[in-house]
Amino acid sequence: MSFTTPFGSYFSFSTISLSVPDAMILAFIVFLVCWRLKFRNNSTLKTTLKGLLFLYVGALLALTQVLVLPGGWHLSAGNTAYVLSLIQFDPLQSAALIYRNCTAIGNYSAFVRLVIGNILLLAPLGVLLPLINKKYRFWKVSLVGLCTSLGIEGLQLVGNLLYGNALRTVEIDDVIFNTLGCMAAYLLLALCRVVVKKLNKAIN
């Protein structure tokens, strides 16, 4: 038995895969509860930024995770060994392989999707966190990006182990590009702040 929501989320006896719209709706509901309990005294700007952060986290989970229910568990020594053997530990090995394949066929869309997609995935963290809290400097934001990416890959690995097969790829390249994207977004924000500050001084 399975069904799909109007926004594209898929529910079955074995897995749940949320669509981005449904995940964002759920995240907004959670935000409203948190706002009611804790955020009510925040400024309008900070409340808006926190709301965007909740929506982003909801979309992030929808894009990266599949929830494996007990009905979809296929735990065995053989399946576990197979799933673990699929993990790509060598840095940039997957990216290099995809690049060579793209070069062979003359179409680089898969490579661009891998690199740019993973760079953009955590970029919002590099902007939202320092805007919400000024204590989030470069290295702190970078650490959050790294830990977030490792958490995503870890949850994907758990899902694969429970399912007994590869629902999602688990590779170090994702961690590298995710973290770089978060760092680059922070630096871009910092650059924009410097430019705006200099413009204000010039005007005044």
Side-chain angles (χ1 to χ4, degrees), residues 5-122:
T5 68
F7 287 120
S9 293
Y10 177 78
F11 294 80
S12 72
F13 182 69
S14 59
T15 61
I16 295 177
S17 180
L18 290 177
S19 66
V20 170
D22 282 334
M24 293 178 73
I25 290 171
L26 290 175
F28 186 68
I29 293 172
V30 174
F31 165 73
L32 290 178
V33 173
C34 292
W35 172 80
R36 179 71 179 177
L37 296 176
K38 194 171 182 180
F39 301 156
R40 296 182 69 180
N41 295 326
N42 289 166
S43 66
T44 301
L45 176 59
K46 183 167 284 190
T47 299
T48 301
L49 290 171
K50 287 182 177 180
L52 290 174
L53 180 62
F54 272 76
L55 293 176
Y56 163 69
V57 171
L60 181 65
L61 291 174
L63 290 169
T64 61
Q65 303 300 323
V66 176
L67 180 61
V68 182
L69 303 177
W73 292 2
H74 302 95
L75 296 170
S76 70
N79 287 344
T80 298
Y82 172 69
V83 169
L84 293 177
S85 71
L86 297 177
I87 301 175
Q88 295 289 341
F89 288 109
D90 295 331
L92 303 180
Q93 182 180 31
S94 295
L97 177 60
I98 292 175
Y99 180 79
R100 287 196 297 269
N101 292 337
C102 289
T103 301
I105 63 175
N107 186 336
Y108 293 90
S109 59
F111 179 75
V112 172
R113 189 164 55 249
L114 168 70
V115 176
I116 303 301
N118 276 304
I119 286 175
L120 293 178
L121 189 66
L122 295 190

Side-chain angles (χ1 to χ4, degrees), residues 130-197:
L131 288 177
I132 292 172
N133 191 332
K134 292 181 179 180
K135 292 182 179 180
Y136 280 92
R137 303 291 184 176
F138 178 73
W139 291 113
K140 193 171 184 178
V141 169
S142 301
L143 181 60
V144 171
L146 174 62
C147 292
T148 301
S149 184
L150 288 172
I152 289 171
E153 297 300 304
L155 289 174
Q156 289 177 340
L157 176 59
V158 170
N160 290 350
L161 290 171
L162 292 174
Y163 195 70
N165 209 329
L167 288 171
R168 301 279 185 174
T169 58
V170 178
E171 52 192 19
I172 194 65
D173 283 11
D174 291 351
V175 176
I176 293 172
F177 292 129
N178 290 167
T179 307
L180 287 175
C182 189
M183 296 166 69
Y186 177 91
L187 293 175
L188 182 60
L189 175 64
L191 177 61
C192 290
R193 282 174 164 171
V194 170
V195 171
V196 170
K197 190 175 181 179

